[in-house]
Amino acid sequence: MKYRRPLTGYRHRLVLDAVEPAPGARRPRTPTLDRTFGAFGTFGPFQKMAAMLGWQPGDNMYERGLADARAKEGTAPAWAEQVDALGLDPESIDALGHECLQLSLARGAAALTIDDLRTESADELHPTYAAYPTLFERYGLRDVTLLRQLPIAYIDAGYTRVSPKAHSSGPRGDVNTRFRFFEAGRDRRFPMYGVRTETEGLLFSLNQLRVVEWLAESGVVDDSSITTVEDAQRWLFTVAEPVIDIFNAPEHRVTKAILGLVHSMAHRTMKALATRCGLNVDSLAEYLFPANCSFLIYANTRSEFILGGLEHVYRYDLADALSELDAESRCVFDPPCRHSFGGACAACLHVSEVACARFNTVLDRNLLFGSLPAAVEPVGQASQEVTWRPYWNH
């Protein structure tokens, strides 16, 4: 998975969660599109995936994937027709497919599900795991999955001066920021420097049907009369735009609402996990899949071993960690924080820059707990555009 994020205003980091199948293993599918539209694995999509992963003809993984794609060549038309039925432009389909591929690759990182826990756990833990579905429903989650061997690569490709953003404003007006790659060698190739490590993570998937209901209750969309999770995910693909800008909030209303919900919940979850997994919140990081209503919290470490703190929480303390999500809805700077600061500040939702994927933007506690009732609107100040209903509606 590819992800661009600047460390400071002068350096850029490219984070790749490149989860490659082991030799002899079957190539992972894209689970979201697979569940929504059916079979996946034709020659065309395989070529795109091979190019993204750097597979070349003659490589073991390329030849295995090619044989698998040819074997499934006849299974694609129904899937492709349903993707075409979304009515999205090619750029949106490409961005959406890229996020779904990232999510699929993440799911292949030695995943441990709740069903796996029930199968392999001692009898005395069965009642605990049996209560997880009810707990997930309470917090609008569809599932939580442990990723025990999540490969992460930290790569420096170059740097910028003045601003980390693509465009910046100055005395002379708006200017384009130039990204400076490290100096090319004699072969005219630009070098990139990085390190690859393996860590653990927890993948949280929101209930897409609950997300649609929340959007409708808040007046962001009309009541869609959707009744299944699969239909809800398909519908969200059509009404929201893929998120490709990590610096600026989306202008699209539905996209911004979904991103804000997923991002705010990720920060809240990160803080809850930090108190129980043995790592400081600054030693955790997030990866967002807004189009799929999912987020990944992983241990952001450089060690050559996996501590196992997140696995311990997943096995024994997940219920307590989730119960902390809504244990306190207030901030020490309320009501100004909730009313005037966008519902997020350093005292409630913000985390350090190395932990956040979006520099603490598009965060809002109102999305989780609902908008506070307006007292008396100041003269000349417009009322809040959306009165948010709480996502965690118990």
Side-chain angles (χ1 to χ4, degrees):
M1 294 190 285
K2 297 182 180 180
Y3 183 64
R4 299 182 183 275
R5 177 172 66 185
L7 287 171
T8 67
Y10 301 95
R11 296 175 63 82
H12 281 249
R13 179 170 70 183
L14 177 66
V15 180
L16 296 101
D17 303 345
V19 185
E20 299 185 8
R26 292 183 64 85
R27 177 171 52 86
R29 295 182 174 186
T30 47
T32 304
L33 289 180
D34 196 24
R35 285 196 299 264
T36 306
F37 299 114
F40 173 83
T42 61
F43 184 66
F46 164 74
Q47 287 183 312
K48 293 182 179 180
M49 188 183 75
M52 291 176 61
L53 297 178
W55 295 347
Q56 298 295 330
D59 295 344
N60 182 46
M61 291 306 303
Y62 182 92
E63 298 301 328
R64 288 178 180 272
L66 180 61
D68 184 55
R70 285 174 173 169
K72 298 176 181 177
E73 186 69 28
T75 66
W79 181 88
E81 289 174 4
Q82 293 188 61
V83 172
D84 291 340
L86 294 176
L88 302 178
D89 59 83
E91 291 185 359
S92 296
I93 288 289
D94 184 65
L96 181 62
H98 183 64
E99 180 181 310
C100 291
L101 177 60
Q102 291 175 328
L103 182 57
S104 175
L105 294 174
R107 289 182 184 273
L112 183 71
T113 66
I114 298 299
D115 290 337
D116 295 332
L117 286 181
R118 293 172 180 170
T119 302
E120 66 178 42
S121 64
D123 292 342
E124 57 268 22
L125 290 174
H126 286 178
T128 299
Y129 300 146
Y132 276 6
T134 302
L135 186 67
F136 293 167
E137 183 179 356
R138 175 183 176 186
Y139 292 101
L141 294 169
R142 185 181 184 186
D143 197 13
V144 181
T145 304
L146 172 68
L147 308 178
R148 292 172 289 183
Q149 297 175 1
L150 181 68
I152 302 288
Y154 301 90
I155 299 177
D156 268 330
Y159 58 94
T160 64
R161 303 293 190 190
V162 182
S163 173
K165 298 185 178 182
H167 307 281
S168 60
S169 299
R172 299 181 180 180
D174 294 338
V175 295
N176 295 328
T177 302
R178 178 184 176 187
F179 183 84
R180 301 174 182 268
F181 288 95
F182 294 122
E183 186 175 355
R186 294 182 177 179
D187 57 0
R188 296 185 180 181
R189 294 183 178 181
F190 294 102
M192 295 191 296
Y193 305 93
V195 59
R196 189 177 187 271
T197 186
E198 197 169 80
T199 186
E200 60 177 344
L202 287 176
L203 180 63
F204 293 80
S205 300
L206 277 63
N207 186 312
Q208 292 92 335
L209 184 58
R210 173 67 190 123
V211 171
V212 173
E213 293 172 349
W214 169 76
L215 290 170
E217 291 169 359
S218 299
V220 178
V221 299
D222 296 330
D223 188 1
S224 59
S225 301
I226 293 174
T227 58
T228 67
V229 172
E230 290 74 18
D231 287 343
Q233 180 64 83
R234 185 185 293 110
W235 185 79
L236 289 172
F237 282 160
T238 63
V239 299
E241 298 176 350
V243 178
I244 58 177
D245 186 348
I246 67 170
F247 297 106
N248 303 303
E251 296 181 359
H252 191 268
R253 189 183 189 190
V254 178
T255 305
K256 183 178 180 180
I258 296 173
L259 175 61
L261 175 66
V262 173
H263 196 196
S264 301
M265 196 164 177
H267 278 219
R268 198 81 178 187
T269 304
M270 204 183 308
K271 290 174 179 285
L273 292 173
T275 62
R276 291 172 171 80
C277 71
L279 295 172
N280 186 275
V281 67
D282 295 341
S283 295
L284 297 174
E286 65 182 357
Y287 201 105
L288 307 177
F289 306 94
N292 293 278
C293 300
S294 301
F295 61 89
L296 170 66
I297 305 298
Y298 63 93
N300 189 21
T301 64
R302 306 293 189 275
S303 60
E304 296 182 358
F305 67 94
I306 297 175
L307 181 63
L310 291 177
E311 181 169 355
H312 177 86
V313 173
Y314 186 69
R315 290 180 179 273
Y316 307 111
D317 293 331
L318 185 59
D320 289 340
L322 292 180
S323 65
E324 193 171 318
L325 293 178
D326 61 346
E328 180 57 75
S329 63
R330 298 169 298 177
C331 172
V332 295
F333 295 116
D334 278 342
C337 176
R338 196 88 169 262
H339 279 303
S340 306
F341 300 164
C345 70
C348 54
L349 280 186
H350 288 184
V351 296
S352 67
E353 183 180 287
V354 296
C356 179
R358 296 189 55 87
F359 305 98
N360 290 311
T361 60
V362 198
L363 294 166
D364 191 347
R365 278 181 297 125
N366 293 302
L367 307 181
L368 304 175
F369 299 104
S371 300
L372 289 176
V376 178
E377 292 292 341
V379 178
Q381 179 175 328
S383 60
Q384 190 173 3
E385 181 182 356
V386 178
T387 301
W388 297 106
R389 299 293 298 169
Y391 184 73
W392 295 327
N393 189 12
H394 309 320

